[in-house]
Amino acid sequence: MDLFLQQIANGLIIGSTYAVVALGFALAFSVLRVIHFAHPDVFMVGMFAGLVTAETFPFGGLALAMLGGLIGAGVLGYAIERSVIEPLRGRDVLTTLIATLGVAIMLQNGMALIVGPDPVPYPPLLPRRFLDIGPVSVTVRQAANLGICLLLLAFVSLYVRGTRIGRATRAIAERPDVAAAFGVDVARVCQVTIVVASAMAGIAAVSVGTLYGSASAFVGLLYGLKAFTCMLVAGNRYFEGVAAVAIFLGVLEALVTGYVSSSLRDAVAFLVLIGVLYFRPNGLFGSYQT
Amino acid sequence: MRGNGLAPPLLAIEGLAVSYGAVPAVDGVSLEIHPGELRVILGANGAGKTTIIKTVLGLLRPRRGRILLDGTQDLLRCRPHQIHRMGIAWVPEGRQLWSTLTVLDNLRLGGFRERDETVVARRIDEMFQRFPRLGERRNQISGSLSGGEQQMVAIARALVSGPRLLLMDEPSLGLAPLVVRDVFALVKEINAMGIAILMVEQNARQALKVADWAYLLETGRIVESGPAAEVAGKESVQAVFLGGHA
């Protein structure tokens, strides 16, 4: 029972991180109609932006490093939107997929040129201390990561449901033409959407770097594939659905690791996700016809 | 008072040609509508009616032609959201509501161009008074409403923007006969509020009863144009649309 609760906690921590990246993927796909394969590498650049910030201003702590991650990822996301995605608007989805994949490869190898191909140590922005919550034991870093990611997810949910631009975002996701004909500047909202998705990835990335104590130019690969799969499994009708599937994936992985074997972790997790698609090809929560 | 050439028309379409790839959909259409008028474009499926509407809205780019608002503003230079902000609202074919959003959120988005939230809230309240059933269902997902209710939301959504010109694309399509009667009564009522309406319809009998002026569109060209009562008497219209039906 203790192992079960412990693995649930571990799963929530990793799953909430997948959820932040997956939600960014889903925002880009639903609103801009682009499979933004560079998004996980925007996450990676955000991680290094936080690292540089923390090393430049050692007394800024976690908050300043996160601000660095937010700005670094946000600016990069905006630049990719304007220079690669926007000029290809209206083209086939494969065209933008290949273009953003190209950007992803450039970012990974560009960063590897600067910092080297191996993981580099991340500044200890939080103590390594353990917290005991009943039978479950987590580190301060893990608890902080879960809290930060859940806050980011809540923020996006409030944003798309409670604000004027957020409503316009959902309107574009379902019917871009009707949204435009009701006064929504679609190009502007697309830019805002990418900046929001990138900035939240940047914040989460600093937290993840702190959690594992290392950053790597290729960290995006791990998150990218999982986030992309979560988006497909959830469908693009509800952004919150994508986050829910990602958190479920994290828990599933942790349970397989705890009870079966860590080497079977990805195999079992992806088998379950693909199984869902077999029975619900439009995703667990449905998809818009596009 | 209408078409006297003194005031410029509210909307003037001149020599419009639109094609999808190599296939022409609209070929040299000219028409106009003056402030406060209700004009209807009749035509069968595929005649090019929706194409005209979407081109006015800026959603399609024409091959040739001009579209002028107030005689001066060239709409072909504008993007869709800019055209809407000049006071043109749309009731799309098949409603096209935001199906996962609530009735209230659909109406809020209808008022997107109005930045003053209190103005939008007042207009939405007016809509809920006019359509009490929508008021009862304000927090319901719009995709769960009946066809007639969805059409009311689509019309209310357009009205919340406070338009000068309403473009209505087949508002009676797919509705029960009793609801169709309500919709045309409502069209008449909106027009009486001073809002000009350019409507596209296949239901010629009902449309000709409410319209001031009618155009008949066949394979992308206008083949008849005149006061609705006159067009209703034309043989071509009788044969195609009014003959044989009770």
Side-chain angles (χ1 to χ4, degrees):
Chain A
M1 189 63 198
D2 285 1
L3 174 65
F4 180 74
L5 290 176
Q6 182 66 49
Q7 289 309 91
I8 294 274
N10 292 345
L12 289 175
I13 290 156
I14 184 69
S16 64
T17 316
Y18 294 157
V20 171
V21 181
L23 196 52
F25 246 123
L27 281 166
F29 181 68
S30 305
V31 179
L32 288 84
R33 302 286 194 275
V34 47
I35 298 176
H36 185 4
F37 267 134
H39 182 66
D41 299 296
V42 171
F43 172 86
M44 177 273 291
V45 170
M47 192 179 282
F48 280 100
L51 184 149
V52 169
T53 310
E55 288 184 344
T56 315
F57 308 100
F59 301 106
L62 182 65
L64 194 69
M66 281 184 174
L67 184 66
L70 178 157
I71 293 172
V75 169
L76 177 63
Y78 180 77
I80 294 173
E81 204 278 340
R82 293 310 299 266
S83 61
V84 177
I85 299 174
E86 216 278 314
L88 295 175
R89 194 189 306 288
R91 301 280 190 89
D92 188 83
V93 78
L94 271 178
T95 312
T96 47
L97 184 154
I98 290 164
T100 57
L101 198 58
V103 174
I105 292 169
M106 278 166 51
L107 289 174
Q108 286 162 21
N109 292 287
M111 190 58 84
L113 263 179
I114 303 171
V115 303
D118 300 319
V120 297
Y122 213 77
L125 295 167
L126 286 173
R128 212 180 259 285
R129 202 155 37 83
F130 278 88
L131 299 172
D132 289 323
I133 308 163
V136 175
S137 173
V138 295
T139 66
V140 172
R141 294 175 183 187
Q142 286 180 312
N145 186 62
L146 178 63
I148 288 161
C149 290
L150 290 181
L151 272 179
L152 289 170
L153 298 174
F155 164 78
V156 170
S157 186
L158 280 177
Y159 166 71
V160 298
R161 288 177 188 279
T163 71
R164 187 167 169 276
I165 300 293
R167 270 196 296 274
T169 307
R170 287 202 291 156
I172 294 173
E174 183 173 357
R175 302 185 186 281
D177 274 5
V178 182
F182 275 92
V184 176
D185 184 343
V186 175
R188 267 275 299 287
V189 175
C190 285
Q191 292 160 15
V192 173
T193 302
I194 283 293
V195 170
V196 166
S198 304
M200 63 186 265
I203 295 174
V206 173
S207 165
V208 171
T210 309
L211 172 60
Y212 293 112
S214 75
S216 145
F218 300 102
V219 69
L221 291 172
L222 167 80
Y223 290 92
L225 187 59
K226 290 186 175 166
F228 179 61
T229 312
C230 289
M231 182 183 84
L232 290 184
V233 168
N236 67 355
R237 190 172 295 222
Y238 296 101
F239 295 127
E240 290 87 345
V242 179
V245 168
I247 290 173
F248 171 75
L249 173 66
V251 172
L252 190 64
E253 285 185 2
L255 289 177
V256 174
T257 306
Y259 286 97
V260 189
S261 144
S262 65
S263 56
L264 278 178
R265 185 188 68 189
D266 288 355
V268 172
F270 277 93
L271 198 66
V272 170
L273 295 184
I274 292 165
V276 171
L277 276 182
Y278 183 79
F279 291 104
R280 294 194 56 108
N282 277 328
L284 210 49
F285 303 99
S287 290
Y288 295 126
Q289 312 291 323
T290 49
Chain B
M1 137 191 163
R2 287 185 180 118
N4 55 12
L6 293 178
L10 177 58
L11 184 80
I13 299 175
E14 296 167 8
L16 190 70
V18 191
S19 30
Y20 297 104
V23 186
V26 169
D27 191 6
V29 163
S30 296
L31 60 84
E32 58 185 42
I33 179 166
H34 295 262
E37 272 188 327
L38 199 176
R39 292 195 172 202
V40 62
I41 305 172
L42 304 172
N45 254 339
K49 307 182 302 284
T50 299
T51 303
I52 295 176
I53 298 266
K54 285 194 166 179
T55 311
V56 173
L57 290 165
L59 299 173
L60 293 173
R61 290 268 148 220
R63 260 188 320 117
R64 272 185 291 112
R66 287 209 302 172
I67 303 178
L68 293 181
L69 188 70
D70 301 319
T72 52
Q73 183 64 247
D74 185 359
L75 294 191
L76 295 182
R77 293 171 183 278
C78 303
R79 292 171 55 211
H81 68 276
Q82 297 166 324
I83 292 171
H84 172 74
R85 287 170 195 182
M86 295 170 199
I88 298 180
W90 181 31
V91 179
E93 180 180 357
R95 280 84 71 176
Q96 301 198 22
L97 300 182
W98 288 293
S99 64
T100 58
L101 271 61
T102 62
V103 170
L104 186 60
D105 278 348
N106 269 274
L107 299 190
R108 280 179 177 154
L109 276 160
F112 188 81
R113 78 169 174 136
E114 177 58 63
R115 275 166 186 281
D116 187 344
E117 299 264 349
T118 58
V119 173
V120 178
R122 185 170 46 76
R123 287 184 188 155
I124 291 176
D125 266 347
E126 283 167 19
M127 289 302 138
F128 286 155
Q129 276 166 26
R130 175 65 189 71
F131 308 108
R133 248 203 329 228
L134 300 189
E136 290 161 22
R137 283 154 211 249
R138 67 179 76 197
N139 293 321
Q140 213 164 310
I141 298 295
S142 75
S144 69
L145 302 182
S146 74
E149 287 163 350
Q150 290 195 16
Q151 189 60 263
M152 298 304 148
V153 177
I155 293 172
R157 174 176 69 178
L159 291 178
V160 171
S161 71
R164 296 194 285 157
L165 173 63
L166 193 56
L167 303 176
M168 302 185 91
D169 195 345
E170 307 241 18
S172 75
L173 190 73
L175 299 181
L178 272 178
V179 184
V180 169
R181 229 179 42 194
D182 289 348
V183 167
F184 280 104
L186 179 60
V187 168
K188 192 86 195 148
E189 199 180 304
I190 294 165
N191 184 234
M193 287 155 50
I195 298 171
I197 298 177
L198 182 61
M199 181 169 55
V200 146
E201 257 298 338
Q202 287 193 58
N203 189 333
R205 184 180 297 276
Q206 296 277 352
L208 286 168
K209 273 190 209 159
V210 295
D212 301 313
W213 191 279
Y215 299 96
L216 179 60
L217 194 67
E218 264 176 27
T219 56
R221 292 164 191 271
I222 288 180
V223 294
E224 298 282 358
S225 163
E230 236 170 69
V231 170
K234 300 260 185 178
E235 243 171 64
S236 54
V237 176
Q238 291 275 342
V240 179
F241 291 105
L242 304 176
H245 296 286

